[in-house]
Amino acid sequence: DILVAGFGLAACSAAIQAIDTDPGAKVLMVEKASEAQAGGDTRASGQGLVVAKDKDAMVRYHRKMYAPNPVPDDLLEFYAEELMDLHPWIRARAKEANQAYIQIYPIYEFPELGAVDAVLRYATILPRAGGLWGAFKKNVLKRPIDVWYDSPATDLIQNHETGEVIGAVINRNGKAMQVRARRAVVLACGGYSANPEMLSNYCGYTDTPPAGSPHNTGDGIYMLQKAGADLWHMRNRMYSAGFHLAIQVPDFKSAFL
């Protein structure tokens, strides 16, 4: 019924919510990486989550942050409204995983743009590091959700007449499989932080190693382009690419744990 590409926080959230909304649904997650390296950039991130203080202030804050590339107000309103009610659900995921959910002091990344009025606290799930993604992984594995590792989605399958996405091509065990999704295909397969060509084209970065998953190579973006999607806000160095700068020591291979 539901095909989810990816195994980071967004993918896990989509799969969990799908099966909890309809326990009879068949949900399949496909992950490009091996089980040992699954988790995308979520796994390598700081594991911090924003707790909103005020919806209207959050809208104003984001509007100012996105001023060079404006985001439609209806999208900002929806984002801020959902953020206000998000953390009880996250706390429930931590409890289900038998891990501690905590809220800590706020981090005001851009106080001059209104962060103090918008951000109440930051939250995470212990232990550090990796507890947040680890808790959501446990939630997925406790449910009747199939997970295929080493199985990247490589193409979308569309209805030739309407353009509707009805499935995806999955590379599994060296074979291309066409997987039909009766109800939805969810692409949650990351940005392009591990794709040097895309980093150069969209952000102007050259010779800049990322602190994240080596599998985050823009596969979903390529599939969407082929399906006819427009690109939007691709130069945003954080939210589009999911990029965090790292240090690469010559002659030493970077670790991804």
Side-chain angles (χ1 to χ4, degrees):
D1 295 301
I2 312 292
L3 174 62
V4 181
F7 200 34
L9 188 57
C12 290
S13 297
I16 292 165
Q17 191 68 4
I19 203 74
D20 287 359
T21 300
D22 182 359
K26 293 183 178 180
V27 180
L28 170 64
M29 300 180 72
V30 293
E31 165 61 43
K32 178 182 180 180
S34 65
E35 184 174 5
Q37 291 197 340
D41 277 1
T42 297
R43 183 177 170 187
S45 74
Q47 312 287 291
L49 303 168
V50 170
V51 183
K53 180 187 293 185
D54 178 84
K55 190 195 87 167
D56 293 336
M58 185 62 71
V59 170
R60 293 193 298 270
Y61 180 43
H62 279 264
R63 186 183 294 125
K64 291 179 180 178
M65 285 195 293
Y66 301 147
N69 290 296
V71 173
D73 276 350
D74 60 342
L75 183 58
L76 290 181
E77 291 277 350
F78 176 79
Y79 166 77
E81 185 173 347
E82 293 295 307
L83 190 59
M84 295 298 295
D85 300 322
L86 181 62
H87 281 268
W89 186 78
I90 297 172
R91 187 190 300 271
R93 304 286 71 76
K95 183 177 180 180
E96 187 172 340
N98 197 28
Q99 294 176 223
Y101 166 92
I102 63 169
Q103 292 191 8
I104 57 177
Y105 54 85
I107 299 174
Y108 302 130
E109 292 184 287
F110 301 102
E112 71 278 11
L113 301 181
V116 176
D117 295 327
V119 177
L120 179 64
R121 299 184 190 92
Y122 263 60
T124 193
I125 297 176
L126 299 178
R128 306 292 293 270
L132 173 66
W133 178 75
F136 275 76
K137 178 184 178 182
K138 289 178 184 176
N139 274 254
V140 167
L141 298 182
K142 288 180 65 175
R143 288 165 169 77
I145 298 172
D146 291 325
V147 181
W148 292 355
Y149 300 102
D150 295 302
S151 302
T154 60
D155 205 355
L156 296 174
I157 302 171
Q158 295 174 269
N159 182 303
H160 292 295
E161 295 181 355
T162 66
E164 177 187 6
V165 175
I166 57 175
V169 177
I170 311 299
N171 189 341
R172 180 163 172 80
N173 296 326
K175 297 181 179 180
M177 299 177 59
Q178 294 186 346
V179 178
R180 174 70 182 264
R182 285 187 287 264
R183 295 164 69 175
V185 176
V186 180
L187 290 185
C189 37
Y192 54 87
S193 62
N195 186 318
E197 183 178 4
M198 294 179 83
L199 283 173
S200 176
N201 287 339
Y202 296 132
C203 292
Y205 288 163
T206 57
D207 194 26
T208 48
S213 171
H215 305 287
N216 197 16
T217 53
D219 300 13
I221 296 170
Y222 287 135
M223 285 188 281
L224 289 169
Q225 283 180 294
K226 187 176 179 181
D230 288 331
L231 298 182
W232 185 60
H233 286 209
M234 294 299 291
R235 69 176 181 174
N236 189 316
R237 289 168 173 79
M238 291 295 292
Y239 294 118
S240 298
F243 186 84
H244 293 271
L245 184 63
I247 296 173
Q248 177 74 58
V249 179
D251 301 323
F252 284 87
K253 184 178 179 180
S254 298
F256 178 68
L257 303 176

